[in-house]
Amino acid sequence: MKLYRTTRGVLVEEQGRFFPLHVGGWDELIAGGDLQAAARAAIGGRPADGPGPGTVLAPIEGQEVWAAGVTYYRSRDARMEEAKDAGGGGFYDRVYTAERPELFFKATGSRVVGPGGPVRIRSDASWSVPEPEWVVLLGPDGKIMGHTIGNDMSSRDIEGENPLYLPQAKIYTGSCALGPCILLDSAPLAKETGIFLEIERQGETAFSGKTTLAAMKRELQELVAYLFRDNSFPHGVFLMTGTGIVPDATFTLQRGDVVRIRMDGIGTLENPVA
């Protein structure tokens, strides 16, 4: 089952058919706990039209978005490369092998865009890249509620100048995209799940890459345990689990590019760049 937040309310998709899920609000639905039970209760009623173009919203309201870094070997290498001139490259190698993972705040709901919405590059950045990621929706109790696709937009030159600039490189309006739906599953996704990135520029492919969740060094439950350590999320929380696809240093996003991220079993998240 999949859950869509749309301009016409919340829709449940089951085997290609859509059903309205009547709830007081998105935050109430997430805080209620058992998303799968709520979705199953909606199936069997009168089917509804599927979401049309421009009607799918980011699956977030009051939830925070947090992110894990340096969870893939490719991410470790890229972060070391961007920080080497500032003398901070060794930080990321140590994080990759340390017991404690890197976790950082990424976005509030107001900074997140959904399918078709414009992700943004900072006006003071010269090296900007998308980071395609498996994103997990966690309930207030830390249990897995579902999965979606995320784009963790990053200003690599700003972070590389000094690791203390990470918040400026990562947190700004339009720096995060989520969607198109929530795949309802209380278990981690299979290791062979594929993630695919394509960046289109003027009608042609400017970059493409792929990986699988098997390339992740950290286990999901390890990241969740650290995220909920001495922290609480009454509306639930989205956890971005890191990226294994990073363009090399010769590539930077440009206004007008289109970023497409596809994940097996979930769908495609597409956003223009502004």
Side-chain angles (χ1 to χ4, degrees):
M1 293 183 292
K2 295 178 180 178
L3 205 63
Y4 290 82
R5 179 174 169 261
T6 79
T7 56
R8 296 189 289 108
V10 180
L11 296 176
V12 180
E13 181 189 1
E14 172 70 0
Q15 296 181 345
R17 296 199 302 166
F18 291 85
F19 302 88
L21 199 165
H22 301 291
V23 291
W26 183 260
D27 288 349
E28 178 181 334
L29 177 64
I30 303 303
D34 196 339
L35 273 185
Q36 292 193 52
R40 282 194 296 267
I43 295 173
R46 175 177 292 182
D49 292 333
T55 66
V56 179
L57 304 172
I60 185 172
E61 282 188 352
Q63 296 72 45
E64 296 176 356
V65 183
W66 284 67
V70 201
T71 56
Y72 289 76
Y73 189 81
R74 177 67 187 97
S75 178
R76 185 209 72 151
D77 278 0
R79 298 278 286 277
M80 289 177 67
E81 180 181 4
E82 74 186 20
K84 64 183 179 181
D85 290 339
F91 293 158
Y92 300 111
D93 189 37
R94 291 198 292 271
V95 167
Y96 186 75
T97 58
E99 177 182 352
R100 182 185 295 272
E102 178 193 18
L103 293 170
F104 57 89
F105 179 79
K106 176 62 183 179
T108 55
S110 64
R111 292 182 174 89
V112 177
V113 299
V119 291
R120 297 188 177 275
I121 50 180
R122 284 187 61 110
S123 59
D124 56 355
S126 60
W127 182 16
S128 300
V129 296
E131 296 188 8
E133 306 197 16
W134 166 34
V135 183
V136 182
L137 172 58
L138 302 162
D141 57 1
K143 293 182 179 178
I144 299 171
M145 305 183 82
H147 312 268
T148 191
I149 302 169
N151 180 358
D152 171 18
M153 294 285 287
S154 298
S155 304
R156 288 196 170 274
D157 59 313
I158 294 176
E159 182 185 356
E161 185 178 346
N162 191 314
L164 295 179
Y165 295 162
L166 176 68
Q168 296 176 73
K170 292 283 191 178
I171 306 169
Y172 56 91
T173 301
S175 66
C176 180
L178 296 176
C181 62
I182 302 293
L183 174 66
L184 298 177
D185 193 336
S186 58
L189 295 181
K191 295 288 189 182
E192 60 268 23
T193 300
I195 305 178
F196 307 86
L197 170 65
E198 178 188 28
I199 301 172
E200 178 185 311
R201 179 171 295 165
Q202 299 179 349
E204 298 184 354
T205 300
F207 177 85
S208 64
K210 61 182 179 179
T211 190
T212 70
L213 300 186
M216 277 185 66
K217 177 182 184 290
R218 304 273 184 178
E219 293 295 329
L220 176 61
Q221 292 302 339
E222 172 191 0
L223 299 175
V224 172
Y226 270 96
L227 178 61
F228 276 77
R229 183 180 294 187
D230 298 307
N231 217 338
S232 60
F233 304 96
H235 298 296
V237 62
F238 286 91
L239 175 60
M240 309 185 87
T241 61
T243 187
I245 308 173
V246 182
D248 63 34
T250 64
F251 181 90
T252 187
L253 285 172
Q254 297 178 8
R255 181 182 301 175
D257 289 351
V258 178
V259 179
R260 295 187 186 93
I261 304 170
R262 178 171 61 87
M263 279 193 67
D264 293 338
I266 298 179
T268 301
L269 174 63
E270 179 176 318
N271 301 93
V273 177

